[in-house]
Amino acid sequence: MAISYNITVRRVIKPTWLNDRDQFLQPTAPLTDEFNNDCLIWMLFNGSNLTASANDLEWNGKKWSIVNHFIPFTEAEVNAPDRFESDFMVQYLADKILSPEAIQVLQAGKVLSQAYFANTDVRTVRDELKLNRADVGWYQIRKALQARNSSGDFAPVSFSTLKQPIKH
């Protein structure tokens, strides 16, 4: 998952007039496992994460499905109604050592995922976000919870517990 640190470093560092041309240097020392794992967790729950899943997407006269492989939780942990097709990320993270901040982000992401699975969205939101699989992506969860917050039909869900540790 070395790509996760690359994405994270490029997104975490705010562009200024000095660094706005993507002038990132190669690390001069080996990166620690904790750093790489923290970058992965940051990437999984960052607002730039556009992971999604969907069934019955039509293209070129055929129907396709997209499987989300980047779910860091099991179905039981988030009370999903059906099995996830992939448990890649759960298996990958199983033996990883995470910093306290990464654990805090993971826990906040779990709470938000549980909030997503606690209710069913209205038909228009389900159709718009293609919420027709249990293994929805972080983009879909985030957008569905934001739609619920805007509608007032559900108790509001706060993203503050997730945003605080990611910010630093």
Side-chain angles (χ1 to χ4, degrees):
M1 290 291 166
I3 195 161
S4 63
Y5 82 80
N6 194 359
I7 291 168
T8 302
V9 169
R10 290 173 190 269
R11 295 278 182 189
V12 166
I13 298 171
K14 301 296 180 218
T16 68
W17 69 275
L18 292 173
N19 69 357
D20 72 342
R21 298 283 185 246
D22 202 18
Q23 299 128 342
F24 296 98
L25 300 175
Q26 182 174 342
T28 57
L31 300 173
T32 66
D33 287 342
E34 183 179 287
F35 177 80
N36 284 322
N37 296 337
D38 284 4
C39 288
L40 175 61
I41 299 301
W42 186 90
M43 183 186 77
L44 289 174
F45 294 103
N46 180 264
S48 298
N49 178 339
L50 302 179
T51 55
S53 69
N55 281 335
D56 298 327
L57 297 173
E58 291 187 35
W59 180 76
N60 206 19
K62 294 182 181 178
K63 289 197 176 194
W64 302 84
S65 291
I66 298 173
V67 176
N68 177 18
H69 297 280
F70 292 96
I71 305 171
F73 312 114
T74 64
E75 301 89 340
E77 289 177 300
V78 294
N79 304 316
D82 295 313
R83 283 199 35 78
F84 299 151
E85 192 167 330
S86 173
D87 68 348
F88 165 75
M89 192 55 62
V90 170
Q91 295 298 320
Y92 182 81
L93 289 172
D95 64 347
K96 302 298 182 249
I97 297 171
L98 302 175
S99 70
E101 294 82 6
I103 292 169
Q104 186 180 0
V105 169
L106 200 56
Q107 183 58 37
K110 184 187 293 184
V111 169
L112 289 170
S113 296
Q114 290 168 339
Y116 167 77
F117 286 111
N119 295 295
T120 302
D121 293 286
V122 296
R123 178 74 177 200
T124 55
V125 171
R126 288 194 322 263
D127 289 347
E128 178 186 341
L129 296 174
K130 308 289 187 235
L131 303 176
N132 54 17
R133 294 179 60 102
D135 55 358
V136 293
W138 181 241
Y139 172 82
Q140 292 166 301
I141 290 173
R142 202 172 63 243
K143 292 299 181 184
L145 291 174
Q146 289 168 352
R148 290 179 193 175
N149 285 350
S150 297
S151 74
D153 294 337
F154 301 96
V157 175
S158 173
F159 287 82
S160 64
T161 57
L162 181 67
K163 289 181 180 178
Q164 191 60 29
I166 281 184
K167 203 182 230 184
H168 301 291

